[in-house]
Amino acid sequence: MKKSLLNIIILVLVITNTILTAITVFVVVPSMQDSNAVIKKVAQAINLELKEDETDLSDLPLEDCITYDLDKKLTISLKKGADGKDHYAVIYPALLLYKEHKDYSKYTETLETQKAIITQHIEDVVKKYTATELQTNPEAVRQEILKDLQDLFDSDFIVQVIFGTTTIQ
């Protein structure tokens, strides 16, 4: 009789454990995932850095930066949009360089000789966008160019890409 009662108690505990595990899986985990998604969206909205080891170069004082003009008007054929017509963008690009960066002196001496490479990278990125995308969200285009140039130089001494004047036709 004692063995039978002990088996019944163990069976009840196993069933209770299974029920509590199912509740955890189907109720608690999805709500935690939803909370995590909301926290991630809020962090992106207020532009928080999720990695602590990266330094934020976007809020540098202007006196520590220098503008490097590429001295060239770029006429770039854009990707065809919904209207199916050919569109062109005329931009006058410039780079904002951080003078206090450790790589500044290393790369500024060679920037003059690498203007063609820089302009080619700018053209390659801008060609991916339609006229509508370039008009509605030019910041996304500039950010992609910035990332591309930072990857090219393997340094983040270039802080920002500037389009002095942009004409889209």
Side-chain angles (χ1 to χ4, degrees), residues 2-99:
K2 286 186 177 180
K3 283 186 173 180
S4 200
L5 186 61
L6 190 59
N7 285 339
I8 292 174
I9 291 174
I10 291 174
L11 180 65
V12 168
L13 288 176
V14 167
I15 291 173
T16 306
N17 189 16
T18 306
I19 292 171
L20 289 176
T21 302
I23 290 173
T24 302
V25 167
F26 293 113
V27 175
V28 176
V29 172
S31 67
M32 288 178 59
Q33 289 175 339
D34 292 341
S35 298
N36 191 23
V38 168
I39 291 169
K40 188 179 262 186
K41 286 181 183 178
V42 169
Q44 289 173 345
I46 59 175
N47 202 15
L48 288 177
E49 292 293 330
L50 298 178
K51 296 179 183 175
E52 296 176 10
D53 59 344
E54 293 181 1
T55 57
D56 186 19
L57 297 175
S58 62
D59 296 330
L60 297 173
L62 276 178
E63 57 268 3
D64 292 342
C65 297
I66 187 168
T67 303
Y68 180 76
D69 289 321
L70 293 174
D71 300 328
K72 190 173 182 182
K73 170 179 81 170
L74 299 178
T75 304
I76 304 168
S77 174
L78 298 173
K79 185 171 89 172
K80 288 189 180 188
D83 60 0
K85 296 180 181 177
D86 291 330
H87 293 280
Y88 297 92
V90 178
I91 59 174
Y92 293 88
L95 306 176
L96 190 65
L97 309 176
Y98 181 45
K99 293 189 294 189

Side-chain angles (χ1 to χ4, degrees), residues 146-158:
L146 176 64
K147 184 179 179 329
D148 189 46
L149 291 177
Q150 287 176 341
D151 290 344
L152 173 68
F153 287 103
D154 196 27
S155 177
D156 56 356
F157 77 102
I158 300 173

